[in-house]
Amino acid sequence: MDHHCPWVNNCVGENNQKYFVLFTMYIALISLHALIMVGFHFLHCFEEDWTKCSSFSPPTTVILLILLCFEGLLFLIFTSVMFGTQVHSICTDETGIEQLKKEERRWAKKTKWMNMKAVFGHPFSLGWASPFATPDQGKADPYQYVV
């Protein structure tokens, strides 16, 4: 187990880490998309007449755009950091709890690529980006799990 996530109402661990990583990545991308769309909408409204831009009054439109920017930026930063920490955990083959405890490694060290394949499946494919594709666990190397 790495940690309990209230967003997915489950503990994040070996069997569902791929789905959590994809979840954080897609939320970050959607937040970035929202920020880009707000920017385009603001530029469009700035060049055009504000009354034609929205059914709300111009001050209300500006306030709503600012609130959307704040929310999009907040989600983008948070989910990007979560995505980065999860990818780091995969590459180092340590959970966040193990990193905090600074426990000595009791398992064989693998390459970052092997760790990514262990989480996302073998071999590399578009299925890595799909939450509907289940990863083939443990089929890369027979000696992948050393006791």
Side-chain angles (χ1 to χ4, degrees), residues 17-121:
Q17 192 171 24
K18 171 191 175 180
Y19 307 108
F20 183 72
V21 169
L22 291 178
F23 173 73
T24 56
M25 181 186 74
Y26 287 134
I27 295 296
L29 289 174
I30 289 170
S31 300
L32 180 64
H33 180 262
L35 287 173
I36 291 170
M37 295 304 293
V38 165
F40 279 131
H41 188 75
F42 182 78
L43 289 175
H44 172 71
C45 291
F46 193 72
E47 291 173 357
E48 298 278 329
D49 185 17
W50 278 91
T51 55
K52 295 179 184 175
C53 189
S54 174
S55 59
F56 298 111
S57 66
T60 305
T61 303
V62 170
I63 290 171
L64 290 174
L65 288 174
I66 290 171
L67 287 174
L68 184 59
C69 270
F70 176 73
E71 183 182 13
L73 193 61
L74 184 72
F75 272 90
L76 176 64
I77 291 170
F78 181 73
T79 55
S80 296
V81 167
M82 288 300 293
F83 175 75
T85 57
Q86 286 299 305
V87 170
H88 180 263
S89 291
I90 292 170
C91 290
T92 59
D93 197 21
E94 285 185 323
T95 66
I97 294 171
E98 291 166 343
Q99 289 173 3
L100 287 174
K101 287 184 175 180
K102 299 190 186 315
E103 291 179 344
E104 187 176 322
R105 182 184 301 264
R106 293 180 297 219
W107 54 91
K109 185 172 172 109
K110 298 181 294 230
T111 64
K112 293 175 184 177
W113 183 245
M114 286 298 297
N115 292 333
M116 293 295 279
K117 288 196 302 186
V119 171
F120 289 98

Side-chain angles (χ1 to χ4, degrees), residues 1-18:
M1 181 193 85
D2 185 45
H3 69 280
H4 181 80
C5 179
W7 283 11
V8 295
N9 193 27
N10 202 354
C11 291
V12 177
E14 284 185 16
N15 294 333
N16 63 354
Q17 192 171 24
K18 171 191 175 180

